[in-house]
Amino acid sequence: MSHCDRLADGGRRFFLMRGAVAAAGAAAVAGVASAPAEAAPSLARVTYPVTRLANLRDLKVNEPVQVAYPDADSPGVIVKLGTRVEGGAGPDGDVVAFSTLCPHKGFPLFYRTDDRSLNCPGHYSRFDCEKGGLQIWGQATANLAQFRLRVDRNGDIQAEGVDELIYGRLSNVLS
């Protein structure tokens, strides 16, 4: 038996032995997990503030307006895209708002009018505003946090929540 074959055989034994230990451990945990438990705690629910961001009269097609939501330490942008999009608010379904902190490292994003995307100068991640902040390029491993919007009878645009975690937070609301 060559030296290489002995290494391969030893590696197989090590792998199988570790696999057996892992399987035994998983079986033990499954046995404990299947035991009757006390009442399970309810899932945590974040309560977002309802905040006026702008009025429809303030917006021009494809011209972003700087906002902050859910608090002053969370920069964002609101944009009237000019075409109806999923998740868009207003009578035309074309008003969207996003966090402008890149989910990768928190760099401030800038808006490109030619392709309606938010872009990171740090590591070049790009996010599509017409597709709910979907990442289209770059280092980020999450889509961009989009603010949930509602428009009232007076045209005031209210933010009511966020669909993703804003960069640098354990929760989207600090209080």
Side-chain angles (χ1 to χ4, degrees):
M1 183 183 269
S2 74
H3 179 69
C4 187
D5 290 336
R6 283 192 304 261
L7 285 175
D9 191 42
R12 280 189 211 104
R13 273 189 243 124
F14 179 79
F15 175 77
L16 292 173
M17 186 171 48
R18 293 291 180 169
V21 169
V29 169
V32 170
S34 65
E38 296 178 19
S42 63
L43 295 175
R45 185 175 168 101
V46 176
T47 302
Y48 294 97
V50 175
T51 306
R52 181 188 181 277
L53 299 181
N55 188 284
L56 288 173
R57 292 183 302 268
D58 302 335
L59 302 180
K60 295 182 176 127
V61 173
N62 213 21
E63 291 184 18
V65 173
Q66 299 297 315
V67 296
Y69 186 78
D71 53 43
D73 294 326
S74 180
V77 67
I78 186 168
V79 183
K80 181 174 178 58
L81 296 172
T83 57
R84 182 174 294 278
V85 294
E86 187 173 335
D92 301 325
D94 65 344
V95 178
V96 293
F98 299 94
S99 169
T100 53
L101 295 174
C102 181
H104 177 231
K105 294 279 184 176
F107 282 89
L109 303 176
F110 65 91
Y111 183 76
R112 282 187 46 181
T113 58
D114 62 335
D115 66 357
R116 296 179 177 161
S117 65
L118 283 163
N119 298 265
C120 180
H123 297 102
Y124 310 111
S125 290
R126 300 182 67 223
F127 304 91
D128 191 335
C129 292
E130 294 178 310
K131 293 191 168 86
L134 178 71
Q135 180 191 352
I136 51 179
W137 179 260
Q139 300 282 333
T141 57
N143 294 329
L144 196 55
Q146 183 173 8
F147 305 153
R148 287 192 309 269
L149 304 176
R150 173 179 54 86
V151 179
D152 68 15
R153 281 187 260 158
N154 300 322
D156 285 335
I157 304 163
Q158 310 277 341
E160 298 181 317
V162 182
D163 71 352
E164 298 278 345
L165 188 61
I166 295 170
Y167 176 80
R169 296 183 177 212
L170 300 176
S171 167
N172 284 337
V173 179
L174 295 177
S175 58

